Amino acid sequence: MTLEELIVSRTSITRLLRLGLTAAIPTAVLLASLEVRANQEITDINFDALPDGQLSISLDFGDGEVIDYSSYTIEDPARIVIDFPETQNRLPQRRYALPDGNASSVVVLEAGDRSRMIVNMTNLGSFNTEVLDGRFVLEIEGSAAGSYSMPAMPGGGVSSSVNTASSGQSSIRDLEFRRSGDAEGQLILSLSNSSIDVNVFSEGSRITLELMDTDVSESLSRRYDVTDFATPVSQIEVEPSGKGTRVVLHAGDYFDYLAYQQDDQYVVSVKPLSESERDQRLSEFSYVGDRISLNFQNIEVRAVLQLIADFTDLNLVASDTVSGDITLRLQNVPWDQAMELVLKTKGLDSRQVGNVLMIAPAAEIAERERQEIETNKQFSELAPLKSEFIQIRYAKAAEVVTLFEAGSEQGGSLISERGSVVVDDRTNAIIVTDTSAKLDEIRALIDKVDVPIRQVMIEARIVIASSNLDEQLGVKWGGEYTRDGSFLGPDGRKQLSIASSMGAAASLNQSAGGATGLPYTAAPLVDLGLASATSGFAIGFTSDDLFLSAELAALEAAGEGEVVSQPKIITGDKQQASISSGTEIPYQEGAASGGTQTQFKEALLKLDVTPNITPDDRILLDLVVNQDSVGELVPTAGGGVIPSIDTTKLTTQVLVGNGETVVLGGVFKNEETTQIQKVPFLGDMPGVGAMFRSTVNTNKKVETLIFITPRILSDVLLD
């Protein structure tokens, strides 16, 4: 890291004088407030190449003389630092790049009331300083790495060329960039050997690789545009440096990287951060400003603030009460973090007013804000009242007024204490009387609230499917017996009948007592409920005075049915809607007076729905579905009956896509019954008992299904 990043550029004095701000601020006041004490200036810089790879750097102070200077060195990184107290920097640029000799660059900066010259070295060596004819001269001994050839250019510019003595031991043979999965970019450097020392570090949006004592060919030493790969890396710069070769990867703001070496290949993998990882990183470190470095001892706080303002081009105003000195050493920290640390250390606070940052003691800012609040309160209490007629288009005026008055008991009403609001139901409008500021707030709120809501059509299909199966099997016996003296029939003859049809018996046996066509119907011997049988056959046995018959019947009936109810309803977003269809069943109920009164019970198909449209155009439904039917009739003590209601009810909340159909639930009922009719004693006899009993088997299946299909209506229908 260069010392250019450790010390910020020129002080506010030079910047303000260059901008010519004396038209707005008197010069005397400006100079007095900033305490300008400098009495010497650096006006020019020159570079001369000396024999044996030595370099001479001279500073011109114009008509002035070098009053005083101090020098020291830094071993890691190797630097020579020269300080000139009470000196201003008038050079046209801060940084001067040098060819690949022992000195790589020269930086001249101004901080506070002093200027500093930093010489960035490859290897720290000996140097000499002297003052000749009002000029400061620094001579640096050369190195075996190369030699300088540097003719001085007018205006302090530098034109350089270097003859590099390459060792040929280490070099970059090839460079490759590729894209892997998840938009990850990979830089692969093919090295001449696996023992190359590589220093990797990240600074801001850049990843820098320093390959020590490593050469790179001219064909590879250039800038690569890799934006088309759609990775976090946009550019790659490969250039020689004083220590070897520097490779810089320019990435975005949010990335993570991994560097590793495999034999003679060095790989740098850069991947973008996911949204969750980005949020986590922002939560861990909330400062996002460009990085800055500050290293001062006993510097004025106002000067530090001005340095940060110059670094960020920030409009800054400091109160006259901002004073005192501060000592700080901050290396490569975001500027907003540096400013916050300075403000907290000196008990200061800041407020953003437009694009200007105001800085003052915290107590002073708090007092100023309190006075502003009191002033605004007095202004609102004394401001004239105005009345305005506001038309409500979509919402109900009464609901809008309720919204305005919400929280009035706790002092949170939108209407001020002096204001009032009147609802005109006829025109669906409101008349508001309040100050101009309050009226502006009310209009802004109405513009956001008074908007058409989206409509949803809900279609419900209730399907009730049933399947019935009845099986019957039985026998019916009949007969006739005639004999004198047994029973007196209509013709005076003694007869006994056990047949279900004596007419049929007489017609079949004409010799039974000589009787012909007996005109009566006798009772059956055994009735097993087969009178309504749809199929059967009869067998009979006759003799001179006895006739027997047996009628067998078997029945199997199957029936299937489906009842479909399809209620459909349209409602607004987050608005409950209800639809019902059915009957009201009357019944008698005893009254307190002793009489009876008629009451009603509902048996309805009912659908209650509340849709909620989500941001991704899906629909969250709150549903209540009722399917009622008439059940049994329950007798009452007063002699009447009360009907029971068979209910199928579903209550649920479901998320459905627009136009999709969902099955909310189903009820399946299976009812199996077996009914046996028999003759007492005879029907219980083994084997023969089957001839004296009837069996009815019933299997009933009922299934209820509910289908829901919501659809969002087009917004053009709402305009």
Side-chain angles (χ1 to χ4, degrees):
M1 180 171 51
T2 63
L3 202 59
E4 179 186 358
E5 300 170 344
L6 297 178
I7 303 178
V8 186
S9 65
R10 300 175 287 278
T11 62
S12 60
I13 300 174
T14 305
R15 187 179 181 94
L16 293 176
L17 291 176
R18 288 182 182 177
L19 294 176
L21 297 181
T22 56
I25 305 175
T27 304
V29 178
L30 178 65
L31 296 178
S33 63
L34 297 178
E35 300 181 358
V36 179
R37 301 182 298 166
N39 54 12
Q40 63 182 9
E41 298 178 347
I42 300 176
T43 60
D44 195 11
I45 183 172
N46 291 282
F47 305 91
D48 295 316
L50 303 177
D52 299 329
Q54 295 183 346
L55 176 67
S56 175
I57 304 173
S58 61
L59 299 179
D60 191 356
F61 288 80
D63 297 335
E65 296 182 356
V66 182
I67 299 176
D68 189 17
Y69 68 91
S70 61
S71 63
Y72 62 93
T73 60
I74 302 175
E75 294 183 358
D76 189 14
R79 294 188 176 99
I80 301 174
V81 182
I82 312 294
D83 281 343
F84 301 93
E86 300 182 357
T87 304
Q88 291 182 344
N89 179 22
R90 295 295 190 184
L91 297 178
Q93 63 188 67
R94 296 183 303 169
R95 188 176 187 274
Y96 298 87
L98 300 177
D100 291 342
N102 193 23
S104 60
S105 63
V106 176
V107 181
V108 183
L109 304 172
E110 181 183 350
D113 58 349
R114 62 178 175 175
S115 294
R116 173 175 293 181
M117 181 177 70
I118 308 101
V119 183
N120 297 311
M121 307 289 292
T122 302
N123 298 306
L124 188 62
S126 60
F127 65 94
N128 297 317
T129 60
E130 59 180 340
V131 178
L132 298 175
D133 299 331
R135 297 172 60 89
F136 173 82
V137 181
L138 172 66
E139 293 183 358
I140 306 172
E141 80 175 10
S143 112
S147 62
Y148 295 98
S149 177
M150 308 173 54
M153 301 296 293
V158 177
S159 175
S160 61
S161 62
V162 173
N163 297 322
T164 304
S166 176
S167 63
Q169 296 180 356
S170 302
S171 63
I172 300 177
R173 296 183 300 180
D174 195 8
L175 181 149
E176 181 183 359
F177 186 82
R178 64 178 63 168
R179 173 190 168 103
S180 60
D182 300 330
E184 181 179 350
Q186 287 186 346
L187 174 65
I188 303 175
L189 299 178
S190 299
L191 308 178
S192 59
N193 58 77
S194 59
S195 61
I196 297 178
D197 185 13
V198 183
N199 182 21
V200 184
F201 59 92
S202 174
E203 182 180 357
S205 61
R206 298 183 301 175
I207 304 173
T208 304
L209 286 74
E210 294 283 355
L211 289 82
M212 308 301 177
D213 300 328
T214 303
D215 298 333
V216 61
S217 62
E218 294 183 358
S219 60
L220 297 178
S221 179
R222 61 188 179 92
R223 176 179 295 179
Y224 301 86
D225 189 353
V226 293
T227 307
D228 295 340
F229 286 85
T231 67
V233 182
S234 59
Q235 290 182 351
I236 301 175
E237 296 181 2
V238 182
E239 59 181 2
S241 66
K243 300 178 181 181
T245 302
R246 178 184 294 111
V247 181
V248 181
L249 289 79
H250 297 266
D253 296 331
Y254 303 100
F255 65 91
D256 195 7
Y257 74 96
L258 175 65
Y260 58 93
Q261 186 171 354
Q262 293 181 342
D263 298 330
D264 60 346
Q265 288 188 342
Y266 196 89
V267 182
V268 181
S269 179
V270 184
K271 68 173 184 179
L273 296 180
S274 62
E275 186 174 354
S276 59
E277 294 174 340
R278 183 182 308 175
D279 295 341
Q280 182 179 0
R281 178 168 296 186
L282 291 176
S283 62
E284 295 176 354
F285 194 76
S286 58
Y287 303 102
V288 296
D290 295 335
R291 296 182 179 272
I292 188 175
S293 298
L294 301 171
N295 187 6
F296 297 104
Q297 184 176 1
N298 295 330
I299 187 174
E300 294 182 357
V301 176
R302 301 174 66 89
V304 175
L305 295 177
Q306 187 63 51
L307 290 174
I308 297 176
D310 290 343
F311 179 78
T312 60
D313 290 332
L314 183 67
N315 297 323
L316 186 143
V317 176
S319 175
D320 294 339
T321 55
V322 178
S323 61
D325 297 338
I326 189 173
T327 299
L328 70 165
R329 184 180 185 273
L330 302 175
Q331 294 185 353
N332 197 28
V333 299
W335 71 264
D336 48 354
Q337 184 185 15
M339 176 172 286
E340 182 177 344
L341 292 174
V342 173
L343 297 181
K344 288 183 178 180
T345 303
K346 305 303 293 184
L348 304 176
D349 202 354
S350 63
R351 291 293 185 270
Q352 188 79 27
V353 181
N355 61 345
V356 179
L357 186 65
M358 300 178 59
I359 296 178
E364 180 179 336
I365 291 181
E367 179 64 22
R368 183 185 298 120
E369 291 179 345
R370 187 188 64 82
Q371 293 178 0
E372 291 179 356
I373 293 174
E374 291 182 354
T375 301
N376 294 333
K377 182 178 180 181
Q378 293 177 1
F379 177 78
S380 62
E381 292 177 353
L382 300 176
L385 299 180
K386 297 182 180 180
S387 298
E388 186 169 343
F389 181 88
I390 302 177
Q391 180 70 49
I392 307 299
R393 299 175 298 170
Y394 302 102
K396 293 182 180 180
E399 295 179 354
V400 175
V401 172
T402 303
L403 179 64
F404 291 168
E405 296 177 348
S408 58
E409 297 180 356
Q410 293 78 22
S413 176
L414 186 62
I415 306 296
S416 65
E417 296 179 356
R418 301 169 59 201
S420 62
V421 58
V422 179
V423 179
D424 185 6
D425 294 330
R426 184 178 61 87
T427 60
N428 196 39
I430 59 176
I431 302 173
V432 184
T433 301
D434 216 318
T435 62
S436 298
K438 282 293 184 180
L439 290 177
D440 293 339
E441 295 179 8
I442 292 173
R443 283 194 297 267
L445 179 60
I446 290 178
D447 291 339
K448 296 181 179 180
V449 173
D450 189 22
V451 294
I453 60 176
R454 304 178 71 179
Q455 304 289 311
V456 181
M457 182 181 67
I458 297 99
E459 179 181 357
R461 286 172 293 182
I462 303 175
V463 180
I464 302 176
S466 62
S467 176
N468 300 326
L469 178 62
D470 293 337
E471 296 180 353
Q472 298 182 10
L473 181 65
V475 60
K476 181 187 295 184
W477 289 97
E480 176 186 6
Y481 176 75
T482 60
R483 192 174 181 90
D484 291 343
S486 298
F487 184 78
L488 185 61
D491 56 352
R493 302 238 1 224
K494 299 178 180 178
Q495 300 177 2
L496 176 63
S497 173
I498 56 174
S500 60
S501 178
M502 288 300 298
S507 63
L508 291 175
N509 188 0
Q510 296 292 331
S511 64
T516 57
L518 298 178
Y520 64 90
T521 301
L525 176 63
V526 181
D527 188 359
L528 298 180
L530 300 178
S532 60
T534 59
S535 63
F537 64 95
I539 60 175
F541 173 80
T542 62
S543 63
D544 293 342
D545 53 1
L546 177 63
F547 173 76
L548 295 176
S549 65
E551 183 178 356
L552 302 177
L555 172 65
E556 180 176 344
E560 296 183 358
E562 182 174 307
V563 179
V564 180
S565 301
Q566 191 169 352
K568 188 181 298 182
I569 191 171
I570 298 178
T571 183
D573 184 24
K574 300 178 181 63
Q575 302 293 320
Q576 183 178 2
S578 178
I579 185 173
S580 59
S581 175
T583 60
E584 289 189 348
I585 305 169
Y587 65 94
Q588 298 294 325
E589 188 179 39
S593 60
T596 60
Q597 59 181 2
T598 302
Q599 300 289 340
F600 293 89
K601 272 194 173 185
E602 294 182 345
L604 304 176
L605 169 63
K606 187 176 181 181
L607 173 64
D608 294 332
V609 59
T610 304
N612 183 9
I613 302 177
T614 62
D616 56 351
D617 280 343
R618 292 193 291 177
I619 306 169
L620 183 64
L621 298 174
D622 291 324
L623 285 163
V624 179
V625 182
N626 284 80
Q627 176 72 40
D628 300 338
S629 61
V630 182
E632 298 179 356
L633 300 178
V634 182
T636 61
V641 293
I642 300 177
S644 63
I645 305 298
D646 297 335
T647 300
T648 300
K649 184 176 181 180
L650 183 143
T651 302
T652 186
Q653 184 181 77
V654 62
L655 183 63
V656 190
N658 184 23
E660 296 180 356
T661 301
V662 60
V663 181
L664 297 183
V667 179
F668 180 80
K669 296 181 179 180
N670 188 12
E671 181 180 354
E672 295 183 2
T673 59
T674 300
Q675 185 178 3
I676 300 176
Q677 300 179 7
K678 60 184 178 180
V679 178
F681 181 72
L682 296 178
D684 297 331
M685 296 178 61
V688 183
M691 303 177 64
F692 298 93
R693 56 176 184 261
S694 174
T695 304
V696 179
N697 296 321
T698 303
N699 188 0
K700 184 177 182 181
K701 300 178 181 179
V702 179
E703 186 174 6
T704 302
L705 298 173
I706 301 175
F707 303 86
I708 298 294
T709 304
R711 292 182 176 87
I712 301 175
L713 300 183
S714 177
D715 293 339
V716 297
L717 303 177
L718 306 178
D719 297 334

